[in-house]
Amino acid sequence: MMRRAFTMRLQSGKLAEYKRFHDNVWPELVAEIERSGIASMTIFENDPVLFLYSEIVDESAWDKLWHTKIHDKWSEEAMNPLMFFRDDGIVDSTSLREIFHLETKAAAKR
């Protein structure tokens, strides 16, 4: 499993609406996320900055998702009024490089 992280920016005052959409994420989008090879996704916020952490099964998982009809629909109908996008319709994001990762046996001790 590989890890990927991105930062993204919300438009001013849009955090509550962004969270509402994600609290009610479309089942067909979740199915496409899975088909694309994204095993998990977590989004943190420090308004207006979002930090997305994911675990993926192959390098092309995000590119696969970003070029699907359902992701285009999600972007157009839900995210466009809330976030900043590039000219090609992909969310304006910056990839982060992992510089440290630690796993311990703490979970096994519970």
Side-chain angles (χ1 to χ4, degrees):
M1 194 77 56
M2 295 170 268
R3 294 177 294 277
R4 290 292 176 268
F6 304 93
T7 61
M8 305 171 288
R9 283 185 313 120
L10 286 171
Q11 295 183 21
S12 180
K14 301 296 185 172
L15 179 60
E17 192 173 355
Y18 179 88
K19 184 171 179 345
R20 182 177 55 81
F21 275 111
H22 284 80
D23 287 346
N24 298 288
V25 66
W26 303 343
E28 61 271 30
L29 178 60
V30 173
E32 191 66 52
I33 289 168
E34 184 175 3
R35 274 191 299 277
S36 296
I38 300 168
S40 71
M41 184 188 310
T42 303
I43 302 172
F44 300 91
E45 63 86 10
N46 186 4
D47 195 7
V49 176
L50 300 173
F51 171 81
L52 185 149
Y53 169 83
S54 62
E55 293 181 337
I56 60 175
V57 297
D58 72 64
E59 288 285 335
S60 64
W62 279 102
D63 285 332
K64 287 178 190 174
L65 177 64
W66 284 332
H67 294 95
T68 62
K69 288 181 182 179
I70 189 63
H71 190 269
D72 288 348
K73 183 178 178 183
W74 172 261
S75 294
E76 291 170 18
E77 293 183 18
M79 297 294 105
N80 278 352
L82 310 179
M83 303 183 70
F84 293 95
F85 282 78
R86 301 183 322 211
D87 291 338
D88 64 0
I90 305 296
V91 69
D92 187 11
S93 62
T94 302
S95 293
L96 300 172
R97 290 183 316 268
E98 183 176 306
I99 62 167
F100 179 77
H101 177 76
L102 174 68
E103 291 185 31
T104 72
K105 297 178 185 174
K109 293 180 182 180
R110 289 184 167 198

